[in-house]
Amino acid sequence: MDNQLYIKQLTGRIAANDDKEAYEKLFYHFYDNLYRFASSILNYEVVADEIVSDVFVNIWRNRNQLNEIENLQTYLYVAVRNLCKRYQSRNKKTNHLSLHTINDDHLLSPYQTPEERIVSAEMISTIEAAIQKLPPQCKLIFTLIKENGLKYKETAQVLNLSQKTVEAQMAIATKRILASLDMAFVHIRK
């Protein structure tokens, strides 16, 4: 089933029937990506969890108006971003962006030779290091698009940026990551 259709069905059931099972499915459908997004802004996992939970509590409280939201995914990301900013302003802390590391077990094939696994592990490490070196806004945009699967337009809406800015930042991220990989391959060949 198409993802947008699935979300529309869930929101329709929640809005019309106060369907708690549909609400739970909606929560689990979005939770992981929203949690990573909040964590990347706050760098504080407990608060990130609370913020995502608060957004969903508000969804339940206002469930009668749920069908009025045109793009629920964008709405949820904007709501999480706003609560994160509110938390930061209340606590006057400077938080740094942190990107969750890539799980090597999921990226390394069990059919690879030991040499191939070493090269793959080095590539993963190189990519992770390159992502960590990106400027904060560039890293956040890269995370939203590549890890969370948002489209450029949705990312622009979530971050209150122009789509051209998002495109430019993705070009910068891609160029820097590829340059790091090129340097790593030169090192491996020697």
Side-chain angles (χ1 to χ4, degrees):
M1 177 183 296
D2 178 55
N3 193 37
Q4 291 292 353
L5 180 61
Y6 176 68
I7 293 168
K8 280 288 184 195
Q9 286 179 343
L10 291 177
T11 56
R13 288 172 42 197
I14 295 165
N17 306 323
D18 297 339
D19 188 331
K20 291 181 181 177
E21 182 182 329
Y23 172 76
E24 186 176 327
K25 287 180 181 179
L26 188 72
F27 176 84
Y28 286 114
H29 180 79
F30 285 108
Y31 177 81
D32 289 339
N33 287 336
L34 292 172
Y35 170 77
R36 280 195 299 272
F37 176 59
S39 293
S40 71
I41 294 170
L42 299 172
N43 202 19
Y44 192 46
E45 293 176 357
V46 174
V47 176
D49 178 59
E50 289 176 16
I51 284 174
V52 173
S53 296
D54 287 349
V55 167
F56 276 96
V57 166
N58 288 333
I59 290 289
W60 182 255
R61 283 186 189 143
N62 299 308
R63 62 190 172 275
N64 296 339
Q65 298 148 359
L66 202 51
N67 287 329
E68 297 172 16
I69 299 171
E70 188 175 320
N71 185 331
L72 183 63
Q73 180 172 316
T74 300
Y75 176 86
L76 291 171
Y77 276 96
V78 170
V80 167
R81 180 200 67 197
N82 291 343
L83 285 179
C84 288
K85 285 184 176 184
R86 195 172 307 141
Y87 173 81
Q88 287 175 324
S89 68
R90 274 193 224 136
N91 292 298
K92 306 280 189 229
K93 292 182 181 177
T94 304
N95 294 306
H96 300 284
L97 186 66
S98 82
L99 185 65
H100 289 279
T101 59
I102 299 171
N103 187 341
D104 296 349
D105 296 335
H106 295 296
L107 294 175
L108 298 175
S109 169
Y111 304 107
Q112 292 176 322
T113 66
E115 293 83 15
E116 291 171 331
R117 288 182 67 87
I118 290 170
V119 170
S120 293
E122 287 180 20
M123 284 179 53
I124 292 167
S125 178
T126 301
I127 292 169
E128 288 174 348
I131 292 170
Q132 290 301 321
K133 291 178 184 174
L134 293 173
Q137 182 176 338
C138 189
K139 188 189 312 184
L140 183 57
I141 289 169
F142 184 84
T143 302
L144 287 172
I145 292 171
K146 294 300 182 184
E147 284 190 14
N148 296 353
L150 267 65
K151 294 178 176 32
Y152 285 36
K153 182 177 181 180
E154 293 169 330
T155 302
Q157 289 172 336
V158 167
L159 298 176
N160 199 23
L161 299 170
S162 73
Q163 188 170 337
K164 291 287 185 189
T165 301
V166 171
E167 291 169 2
Q169 291 294 309
M170 278 302 293
I172 291 168
T174 303
K175 185 176 180 180
R176 289 185 180 186
I177 292 167
L178 289 174
S180 294
L181 283 173
D182 284 345
M183 288 175 49
F185 279 124
V186 168
H187 175 69
I188 291 172
R189 288 185 203 140
K190 288 184 177 181

